[in-house]
Amino acid sequence: MDQLPAALERAGNEESWVVADAISGVLKNSEELHSWRRHLLSASMKGLVAMYSSSRDEGKQDVERSMLLRLEELLCVVAEVEPDDWCSFVKTGLKYRYRDETFLKVLNVAIQLLYKKESSLSQ
């Protein structure tokens, strides 16, 4: 469980998310769930950055779309990110996927969630 988030960060490792989902299900009523979701959120951002950087063309749209939707879901639950992860995700995403409708939609949702007045990023 401790090594899984690092594996999820690598591009092309989509199968590991099945294991992550299973762990999330087991932790459903646990105190560790929020911390686990924070790790998954960070891993999903880093994974998307790796995908965008490694395949500058939009060849893996289905995989990226599912990762973006997962990211959106995690953002709605966790609503806090590491500033370095956020900056890297936005910079790389806008550089390589500025025309991708799903990326822009998730980016908009993320901005709405993360830049509320009570958010640490808004400061």
Side-chain angles (χ1 to χ4, degrees):
M1 187 170 142
D2 296 332
Q3 298 170 354
L4 186 59
L8 296 171
E9 294 173 10
R10 293 189 296 271
N13 205 7
E14 297 80 31
E15 303 84 27
S16 297
W17 282 98
V18 174
V19 178
D21 290 339
I23 292 172
S24 296
V26 170
L27 294 176
K28 187 174 183 179
N29 296 321
S30 171
E31 295 175 6
E32 297 178 51
L33 182 60
H34 185 73
S35 174
W36 175 247
R37 285 180 172 161
R38 287 188 67 195
H39 289 301
L40 292 181
L41 179 62
S42 177
S44 64
M45 283 190 178
K46 289 176 181 175
L48 282 163
V49 167
M51 275 190 240
Y52 294 161
S53 298
S54 68
S55 64
R56 290 179 173 87
D57 62 337
E58 299 176 27
K60 293 186 172 185
Q61 286 183 340
D62 291 338
V63 174
E64 288 179 10
R65 185 171 290 117
S66 69
M67 285 294 296
L68 283 165
L69 296 176
R70 180 182 301 275
L71 175 67
E72 181 180 8
E73 179 182 313
L74 287 166
L75 278 168
C76 290
V77 175
V78 178
E80 56 187 86
V81 297
E82 292 294 321
D84 291 340
D85 292 344
W86 173 244
C87 182
S88 181
F89 170 73
V90 172
K91 181 180 174 184
T92 308
L94 288 174
K95 184 175 182 179
Y96 297 115
R97 298 297 187 266
Y98 63 93
R99 293 183 187 175
D100 184 322
E101 183 179 337
T102 308
F103 168 76
L104 294 173
K105 177 187 163 276
V106 172
L107 181 63
N108 184 39
V109 168
I111 289 170
Q112 298 300 318
L113 287 169
L114 297 174
Y115 288 92
K116 293 179 188 174
K117 287 188 179 190
E118 61 270 5
S119 171
S120 63
L121 281 179
S122 66
Q123 298 170 0

